[in-house]
Amino acid sequence: MPTLTPGGAGDDSHADHLVLMYGCDSSALTRGVAAYLADGLRRGEAEVVIATRSHADAFVAELERLHADPHAALRDGRLAVFDAHETLARFMVDGQPDWILFEQCIGAILASARATGTGGLRAYGEMVGVLWEAGRFTAAIRLEGFWNTLLAMHRGVKLFCAYPVDVCSDAFTSADLGAVMCAHTHLLPSEPSLDNALERAMADVLGTPASGMHALIDDHARPSWAAMPRAESMILWLRDNLPAHTDAIIARAREYTRLAA
């Protein structure tokens, strides 16, 4: 995994609230979530998936490909799958998540799932992503806060969230996503080859190796943010500090990632 920059939340070696920005690349989402779930099943952990129906089906298919036996886990209750839209409707009031209804709904789901496993509990939820995609940003951040409160109440639970945000787009900025970064412990890498691609692209466009900017990029990290991969840190630094060159660098980096695929 690419190097993570220092961060207050991310310095905790127990990563219990992960987030992935997957843009329109549903295959990256499927691979990342399935790997996370397969690891938990092999460890004997119970798991809860709250996802759109198409994504849930894709996760199960990928778990089968990984020989994680998802159907056996579904039969014995170690893996429980819930529809994101239907679950959201159970605790939304006037367009915002309601804490009491959320705690009753999700708390009960976690408690029931935990009783089926011999180890910890892993959850994957994309209800925040559903809200974000609908432009309901305040509701999404409020829901992240509810999740963090619930995680503090249910020790030993790991949570994986996902947002349909492309880290190479102009939607991935400090201003737009600062609150999301503060709500998580770790941002997961969206594309393994993006780190090297950005290094090459920065050298092409700026005429100087990116290695000389790493100290500046690390200093740019905010202690309250999730720890994040080098590539995502570089993009945020570029947008904040070299906006006139960012689009050219990212366009060149996209070319390099396509060639590496």
Side-chain angles (χ1 to χ4, degrees), residues 137-225:
F137 308 124
T138 301
I141 297 304
R142 182 179 176 88
L143 182 52
E144 291 285 15
F146 285 0
W147 267 117
N148 280 331
T149 299
L150 203 64
L151 291 177
M153 295 167 60
H154 294 260
R155 292 292 182 182
V157 178
K158 300 179 181 70
L159 176 62
F160 185 140
C161 297
Y163 285 78
V165 174
D166 182 353
V167 301
C168 290
S169 74
D170 55 12
F172 186 68
T173 67
S174 300
D176 291 336
L177 292 163
V180 175
M181 296 304 171
C182 289
H184 297 85
T185 58
H186 287 71
L187 173 66
L188 298 174
S190 56
E191 167 55 58
S193 64
L194 183 56
D195 192 348
N196 289 336
L198 277 169
E199 295 265 357
R200 293 177 64 186
M202 289 175 71
D204 291 348
V205 174
L206 301 176
T208 183
S211 57
M213 299 183 180
H214 284 167
L216 294 174
I217 294 168
D218 289 346
D219 288 342
H220 186 67
R222 304 183 188 183
S224 60
W225 280 15

Side-chain angles (χ1 to χ4, degrees), residues 114-152:
R114 198 160 207 170
T116 67
T118 58
L121 171 60
R122 294 190 183 204
Y124 166 77
E126 59 187 47
M127 294 182 293
V128 289
V130 168
L131 291 171
W132 196 271
E133 191 168 31
R136 299 162 73 179
F137 308 124
T138 301
I141 297 304
R142 182 179 176 88
L143 182 52
E144 291 285 15
F146 285 0
W147 267 117
N148 280 331
T149 299
L150 203 64
L151 291 177

Side-chain angles (χ1 to χ4, degrees), residues 229-247:
R230 176 78 70 187
E232 281 76 0
S233 295
M234 290 169 67
I235 291 172
L236 290 178
W237 185 88
L238 286 168
R239 291 208 177 277
D240 286 346
N241 294 276
L242 296 174
H245 300 285
T246 301
D247 287 343

Side-chain angles (χ1 to χ4, degrees), residues 23-81:
C24 60
D25 186 2
S26 59
S27 62
L29 174 70
T30 298
R31 290 192 303 270
V33 175
Y36 164 81
L37 296 173
D39 182 60
L41 290 175
R42 294 187 184 109
R43 294 172 183 268
E45 297 177 343
E47 299 186 329
V48 169
V49 171
I50 306 174
T52 61
R53 197 154 300 171
S54 61
H55 285 168
D57 290 343
F59 301 154
V60 170
E62 182 67 7
L63 284 170
E64 287 182 307
R65 193 189 69 79
L66 295 173
H67 306 292
D69 205 357
H71 295 292
L74 286 165
R75 285 194 301 270
D76 63 26
R78 286 183 299 119
L79 173 61
V81 179

